[in-house]
Amino acid sequence: MRFDVLTLFPQMFEAVLGDSIIGRARENNILEMNFIDIRDFSTNKHRKVDDYPYSGGGGMLMNAQPVYDAYMSVAEGLDYKPFTIYMSPQGKVFNQGIAIDLANYEHIVLLCGHYEGIDQRVIDEIVDMELSVGDFVMTGGEIPAMTVIDTVSRLVPGVLAAETSYENESHFNGLLEYPQYTRPAVWHDKPIPDVLISGHHAKIEQWKREQSLINTLKKRPDMLEKAELTKEDIKFLKEYK
């Protein structure tokens, strides 16, 4: 899978996405990532990429021309249009479901805004989706773009050791993940649940499901309204409450 990021701060990405699981996937050519500096496409001798908005008010707006030319440096010559996402506080709020959909694309371009945003004309021309990472405003789209790349990348086959590494995680199936434990079996006089060392796989799986339901009920009850619950799940939750 290929990611191209259009940004004013390409150096920020390598520090975050050059190590650990994502870094290894890049080394193994499972993921390709290119960080394109929009300033390289400025026609201004000072590499200026912003100007005052016609609407007035405070702040500066990124010009359409350098953004478009940076995009065309990626898209020109391709026999398809790469799926292009603008990281914006006005966008749809990013979640696991969107990440799963995006993982089906072979090539994604992420556009990172700065200042008061980007000239709407270039957004209209190249952007397929606007995404936000939450109902708040950040100084730029770089950190949100990293969030999207990291979340989507780990869903790409081969990035994680096995699909089960993410299929049981929080949000993947509409519930929060069950609590997990490791050695020692007793720590600070607190033992792990007996079922986990029972060797009874069916009971362990039942315990995991029930603990996911409890975790979601306690921490994110709003998620239960959208989760696909079985009759057994509903019965368990009623008895637990």
Side-chain angles (χ1 to χ4, degrees):
M1 186 175 191
R2 173 179 168 183
F3 293 95
D4 288 295
V5 183
L6 312 180
T7 173
L8 298 180
F9 301 97
Q11 67 277 9
M12 290 177 64
F13 288 86
E14 203 61 57
V16 175
L17 301 172
D19 290 320
S20 190
I21 292 170
I22 305 301
R24 287 195 296 272
R26 292 174 64 188
E27 289 175 3
N28 294 330
N29 297 317
I30 299 170
L31 300 174
E32 178 187 349
M33 297 184 189
N34 305 297
F35 311 123
I36 295 99
D37 190 342
I38 295 171
R39 292 186 191 279
D40 289 344
F41 299 88
S42 172
T43 56
N44 183 283
K45 66 179 181 179
H46 301 296
R47 289 165 52 89
K48 192 170 182 286
V49 296
D50 62 327
D51 209 332
Y52 294 102
Y54 277 114
S55 57
M60 305 288 277
L61 204 64
M62 289 176 66
N63 301 104
Q65 173 269 317
V67 172
Y68 181 76
D69 289 352
Y71 169 79
M72 289 307 297
S73 75
V74 171
E76 196 168 25
L78 299 177
D79 58 2
Y80 62 91
K81 183 188 183 302
F83 192 75
T84 303
I85 300 170
Y86 173 38
M87 303 309 304
S88 163
Q90 297 186 27
K92 185 183 298 185
V93 178
F94 184 55
N95 59 33
Q96 190 70 23
I98 294 174
I100 292 170
D101 291 339
L102 293 178
N104 292 313
Y105 288 92
E106 293 186 4
H107 186 183
I108 292 176
V109 174
L110 292 111
L111 171 59
C112 303
H114 251 271
Y115 312 118
E116 293 302 309
I118 298 175
D119 189 310
Q120 186 64 40
R121 291 170 293 184
V122 71
I123 295 172
D124 292 341
E125 186 150 343
I126 69 173
V127 169
D128 299 299
M129 173 187 280
E130 293 189 30
L131 274 186
S132 167
V133 290
D135 294 330
F136 47 83
V137 179
M138 302 185 73
T139 55
E142 282 74 19
I143 293 174
M146 293 177 204
T147 302
V148 171
I149 293 172
D150 185 277
T151 307
V152 174
S153 292
R154 60 201 317 280
L155 301 175
V156 175
V159 172
L160 299 183
E163 283 188 8
T164 52
S165 294
Y166 63 77
E167 285 182 349
N168 292 322
E169 290 179 331
S170 294
H171 300 285
F172 187 83
N173 62 0
L175 298 174
L176 298 183
E177 193 174 9
Y178 49 84
Q180 298 193 67
Y181 306 87
T182 187
R183 294 178 178 81
V186 178
W187 178 79
H188 283 201
D189 297 325
K190 297 174 183 175
I192 65 170
D194 290 337
V195 66
L196 296 180
I197 51 175
S198 68
H200 196 301
H201 296 295
K203 287 185 177 179
I204 291 172
E205 290 305 311
Q206 181 184 355
W207 177 88
K208 288 179 179 179
R209 181 68 179 184
E210 291 174 351
Q211 292 299 311
S212 286
L213 291 166
I214 292 170
N215 240 2
T216 308
L217 177 65
K218 288 181 176 179
K219 299 176 181 179
R220 289 289 304 277
D222 57 296
M223 291 175 60
L224 291 173
E225 297 175 10
K226 299 178 182 179
E228 294 183 9
L229 303 179
T230 65
K231 291 180 180 179
E232 290 76 14
D233 292 337
I234 296 170
K235 180 181 177 183
F236 172 79
L237 285 169
K238 285 182 178 178
E239 292 174 350
Y240 179 79
K241 289 178 183 178

